[in-house]
Amino acid sequence: MLIVGEVKRPHGLNGEVSVEVRTAFPERFAPGLNLLWRRSGKERPLTLQSARRHGGRILLRFEGVEDAE
């Protein structure tokens, strides 16, 4: 497994999350990228819909995630 980022918190109400980049190659965050979300021992596959820089972090949106819930 390769860790490319750490989700820090939701950003806004439209499903974006703020991610601390953990790779020297942030261009890896391209639409269509398949990622694995891990939290509290559970895993969920996600497909990246969009990525954009925001300060020192990157904001990601995933397919099928439409809100902060």
Side-chain angles (χ1 to χ4, degrees), residues 1 4 6 17 19 23 28 34-35 48-49 52-53 58 60-62 67:
M1 172 181 13
V4 294
E6 181 179 346
V17 291
V19 174
T23 177
R28 291 179 190 259
N34 293 310
L35 299 166
L48 187 61
Q49 181 178 342
R52 62 187 178 102
R53 291 194 175 274
I58 195 165
L60 303 181
R61 181 180 308 238
F62 299 100
D67 57 36

Side-chain angles (χ1 to χ4, degrees), residues 26-42:
E27 62 273 9
R28 291 179 190 259
F29 294 106
L33 177 67
N34 293 310
L35 299 166
L36 186 63
W37 172 289
R38 283 190 163 174
R39 184 176 184 183
S40 303
K42 296 183 181 181

Side-chain angles (χ1 to χ4, degrees), residues 3-33:
I3 297 173
V4 294
E6 181 179 346
V7 174
K8 291 300 189 177
R9 64 179 186 229
H11 181 81
L13 301 174
N14 296 322
E16 283 185 311
V17 291
S18 174
V19 174
E20 185 175 315
V21 177
R22 300 285 175 117
T23 177
F25 305 100
E27 62 273 9
R28 291 179 190 259
F29 294 106
L33 177 67

